[in-house]
Amino acid sequence: MSTILAVSAKNCLLLTYGMTLGLPTIAIPALYSNSVSNTTSVRHDDLLQLNKEQISWFSSINLICVPLGCMISGTITQPFGRKPSMIALTLPFILAWLLFHYASTVTELYLALALCGLCGGLLEAPVLTYVAEITEPHIRGVLAALSSTTVILGSISQFILGNFLHWRKIVLFNTIVPIVAFISLLFIPESPHWLITKGRIAEAEKSLCWLRGWVQPDAVQYELSMLSKSIALNEEKVRMKKNKKFYSFYLRRTFLLPYFIITASFFFASFGGTSTLQVYAVQIFETLGSPINGYTSTLVLGILQLMGGILGLLLIHWTGKRPLAIVSTLGSSLCFFVVSAYVFIKQYNAEIILNVTWIPLVFLNIAAFMSHVSIRLLPWMLIGEVYPPNIRGQASGASGSSSYIFSFIANKSYFMVLDCINLSGTFLLYAIVSLVGCLMLYTMMPETEGVPLEDIQNHFADKTKTFTMKIERSDKIKQKKMWSATNPALELDHTETHI
């Protein structure tokens, strides 16, 4: 329970970030001067109107700023700790929401978006590592998936409010969430792993007592000793390799193979259609002649995204990550194939589909649901468990940044792709990308759910297991209780410890 409370406090910050991702969806119809919508007049923005080029930047500029934050996230936040870093990042979000509310020029909108993106990137290292370092292995996957689901919930909150309020009123309301995050984060403990690396053992003991259910110190002594030993061993290995150039760690299989799998997953998630669909949802639904208005259709889309994320959250402990990823990508691909065929028929013989205008609404929502069951969340879960401890912060930042680069390209190029291959061709492209993603994950992605991080790292280090989907677990870890000491990707040797 205590661990869940700590993760929930952190999730308040992720909720804020999710809101920044959902805002463009509801603001674009009011800001776009060439909007096809007939229902957006009541939300028309009197201060600002943007053209197609400006809208393409508005939909994506925050995404391209996220990698900048990702790249420096580990370096900047590591000296201060996970908790202080997360607390400090609530303040720029408050500033960004106020800047949105009072924006009277395009530059001010861009500045607010850039600030949101930069802060979102800076969150990567402290947020991802905090969850990995405080949770026990048997609940690590669920709580990691909950983080991504919280971001989705933040986006959905904007879709819900967009049905009733002008977007400027919504951003003012959004300031409440980072304030709540600031207060909540004050009451959670710092990561025991980080405290031990700084030599603050007594504080690490108190942190573990809090995280394991407010227990007495005697109850966490074994875990604390194992954690301390693991960190000491890892630091010793790093010192032994200090003469090697820093980039040598990034030329090994233990980085390259996980990085390829995660980056490829981000690519398929971004170019598989659901990233663009979310941002331009209102326009897409109204262009396709949805039987309900664009804002309501988008709300349904958001709800199904959340439901997909929750379903994935519930299933992952039993099914594992791999089956969900395959079903998710294959299902999305089939849905986009159907919508592509619908649009193609509509272009040449609209009479055939007069009585089935529900098809794009249904299948686009199913595609969004299927993608959020796994592929949209999968790489974020993998980031926290596949990299060696000595490069985890930097590798996590680099991996996370690729997601936003891909999403930026997908959203920024949407109008250009639409002009080149029309809407039917665009959906066909999404279907093909998702299908290729399904085949790649089926071939190369091992099952990591419930597997200790030491065994995951050993798997990626073995050249003979590149296409082996089942990770072998060591007998020692099978026999022992899964203490959190094995969770933060710390390297444990096989020497018996007597305490």
Side-chain angles (χ1 to χ4, degrees), residues 60 201 216 233 236 241 251 271 274 289 298 340 343 398 491:
S60 56
I201 307 300
Q216 295 299 315
L233 287 172
E236 178 63 25
K241 299 171 182 176
L251 299 178
F271 290 96
T274 52
T298 302
S340 175
V343 177
E491 298 180 14

Side-chain angles (χ1 to χ4, degrees), residues 240-252:
M240 292 173 63
K241 299 171 182 176
K242 64 182 180 180
N243 293 328
K244 294 188 177 182
K245 295 182 178 180
F246 75 93
Y247 59 78
S248 64
F249 296 106
Y250 298 94
L251 299 178
R252 299 176 181 174

Side-chain angles (χ1 to χ4, degrees), residues 62 158 219 336:
N62 59 325
Q158 305 302 280
F336 282 121

Side-chain angles (χ1 to χ4, degrees), residues 13-21 66 93 116-117 120 123 151 404:
L13 196 53
L14 290 179
L15 185 67
T16 302
Y17 178 58
M19 290 174 167
T20 69
L21 299 178
V66 174
F93 279 116
C116 290
L123 280 176
V151 175
Y404 298 101

Side-chain angles (χ1 to χ4, degrees), residues 377-430:
L377 312 180
L378 171 69
W380 297 110
M381 292 185 279
L382 292 177
I383 280 179
E385 58 187 16
V386 297
Y387 291 122
N390 56 314
I391 61 171
R392 165 167 292 170
Q394 293 80 0
S396 297
S399 300
S401 66
S402 64
S403 167
Y404 298 101
I405 292 174
F406 291 145
S407 295
F408 166 78
I409 296 172
N411 292 346
K412 184 69 176 67
S413 62
Y414 171 71
F415 288 118
M416 181 180 67
V417 174
L418 202 60
D419 292 339
C420 291
I421 58 176
N422 66 49
L423 194 56
S424 176
T426 301
F427 285 128
L428 180 61
L429 176 64
Y430 295 157

Side-chain angles (χ1 to χ4, degrees), residues 340-377:
S340 175
Y342 173 90
V343 177
F344 181 81
I345 294 172
K346 182 180 179 181
Q347 288 175 337
Y348 295 98
N349 195 343
E351 295 181 359
I352 297 179
I353 47 87
L354 282 178
N355 297 322
V356 288
T357 55
W358 51 267
I359 286 180
L361 175 65
V362 171
F363 280 91
L364 287 179
N365 278 290
I366 294 176
F369 174 84
M370 294 301 297
S371 68
H372 281 77
V373 167
S374 178
I375 189 60
R376 293 283 290 177
L377 312 180

